[in-house]
Amino acid sequence: MSEQLQLSLMPSEQAYLNRALAGQTLWLPQSKPQWLAFLSQADELFYGGSAGGGKTDLGLGMAFECHQRTMFFRREYTELTDVVDRGDEIVARLGVKFNHQRRRWEFGKKFVQLGALDQPDDVQKYQGRPRDLYVFDEVSFFMEAWVRYITGWRRSTDPGQRTRVLMLGNPPTTPDGEWIVQYFAPWLDEKHPNPAQPGELRWFAVIDDKSVEVPGPEPVEHHGETIKPKSRTFIPAYLSDNPFLRDTAYAATLQGLPEELKQKFLYGKFNVKTPDN
């Protein structure tokens, strides 16, 4: 790890690396893409691509190890069962289990809470509740407006705590999910005039309710308002990166999908056209 990267880490992240060297962590990244994502400096990070790339594990590991107040979403509550099971496995040695009544794991003042957006009006349930990490698992099943609304409450009173949004997912399978391709266009849109490399930071400011790419983190003046840009990046993840699944029969299962879905779920290709239903 370079000295420059170490100097840019928040105290909680540096403490995590110290625990990792001492073998005292609950969770460790299992691939290079997971490490890159875990230590990314981006305010908004999209991690994903093919199925089986370790997306949910990354979200839980990041929440348990480096954040104080996490909100972890899936589209429906019924989809959170496997998240609860995996989270309980990660924290088992602490004697902590998921609190089903409060829908979260609790460690003193620290917590990881699970939520869902079964109905569009559900976004209002999360208004005004500050969190330093928001995780959207299978983000293409969420509407862009929901994500932007909920993450507007991202903040922390601890100056040493990084605040960020982690979006996890595969290439969208419905037209409603295509927004994610444009939101991360420098990495995912093959027609983008200035493509970005995986993990490269790009900066965006919301101007007249549109997300506009700007040259860097310097504030932007617009109609008397000072707008501070936020950074984004995309890190691809593939089945071949996951040591727990890459040598199983899962790849053969994905090969049996219809061609459009195989290109998306096996190879993580975002430029395959999604047909309208």
Side-chain angles (χ1 to χ4, degrees):
M1 184 180 303
S2 69
E3 182 179 357
Q4 182 179 3
L5 178 57
Q6 291 182 28
L7 291 175
S8 64
L9 295 178
M10 288 288 191
S12 62
E13 295 157 356
Q14 187 60 60
Y16 170 77
L17 292 180
N18 294 337
R19 295 198 307 274
L21 291 172
Q24 298 174 347
T25 58
L26 296 173
W27 182 89
L28 274 174
Q30 297 297 310
S31 66
K32 181 179 178 180
Q34 279 189 340
W35 270 114
L36 291 174
F38 196 86
L39 298 176
S40 173
Q41 310 299 292
D43 296 310
E44 298 178 335
L45 166 64
F46 183 24
Y47 178 86
S50 72
K55 300 182 293 295
T56 301
D57 241 47
L58 172 67
L60 288 172
M62 190 178 288
F64 288 135
E65 295 288 6
C66 287
H67 286 270
Q68 300 176 28
R69 303 165 69 90
T70 296
M71 193 72 230
F72 189 113
F73 286 105
R74 275 196 173 175
R75 183 65 175 81
E76 298 178 357
Y77 278 110
T78 55
E79 299 171 351
L80 288 165
T81 303
D82 58 330
V83 178
V84 172
D85 292 342
R86 178 58 182 140
D88 277 346
E89 289 178 358
I90 294 174
V91 299
R93 71 180 180 85
L94 296 180
V96 175
K97 290 187 70 69
F98 185 71
N99 184 326
H100 287 272
Q101 183 176 4
R102 304 193 71 182
R103 293 176 176 167
R104 64 191 196 179
W105 291 275
E106 297 175 311
F107 314 81
K109 295 182 179 180
K110 176 178 177 178
F111 63 80
V112 177
Q113 186 168 1
L114 302 186
L117 300 175
D118 290 323
Q119 302 296 329
D121 290 343
D122 286 348
V123 297
Q124 298 175 12
K125 297 177 182 178
Y126 303 99
Q127 178 175 333
R129 297 184 179 184
R131 303 289 184 263
D132 49 76
L133 174 64
Y134 285 97
V135 181
F136 293 88
D137 202 359
E138 301 300 344
V139 67
S140 65
F141 290 108
F142 297 83
M143 302 298 290
E144 178 183 359
W146 300 352
V147 174
R148 289 177 58 186
Y149 182 88
I150 290 173
T151 58
W153 313 106
R154 179 186 64 199
R155 64 183 187 268
S156 174
T157 57
D158 182 352
Q161 175 63 59
R162 186 183 305 283
T163 65
R164 53 186 166 183
V165 178
L166 175 62
M167 305 183 202
L168 308 168
N170 308 117
T173 57
T174 66
D176 287 343
E178 291 289 341
W179 69 269
I180 197 68
V181 176
Q182 293 309 308
Y183 200 81
F184 291 90
W187 300 269
L188 303 181
D189 186 351
E190 59 182 358
K191 297 181 180 180
H192 194 275
N194 184 24
Q197 295 298 311
E200 177 185 348
L201 294 186
R202 292 287 180 89
W203 299 86
F204 295 81
V206 177
I207 300 175
D208 295 333
D209 203 32
K210 292 183 179 180
S211 182
V212 179
E213 186 173 355
V214 295
E218 295 77 18
V220 176
E221 299 294 332
H222 180 70
H223 295 332
E225 180 183 10
T226 300
I227 303 172
K228 185 177 180 180
K230 294 290 187 180
S231 58
R232 295 179 195 166
T233 197
F234 167 73
I235 295 176
Y238 302 101
L239 176 61
S240 58
D241 297 318
N242 189 337
F244 300 107
L245 287 177
R246 64 189 175 202
D247 297 325
T248 69
Y250 190 41
T253 300
L254 296 177
Q255 288 172 340
L257 292 172
E259 187 61 27
E260 175 215 340
L261 296 181
K262 183 176 78 172
Q263 292 295 317
K264 293 182 177 185
F265 291 142
L266 181 58
Y267 303 116
K269 292 188 176 180
F270 285 84
N271 57 2
V272 177
K273 185 64 177 177
T274 300
D276 202 348
N277 188 341

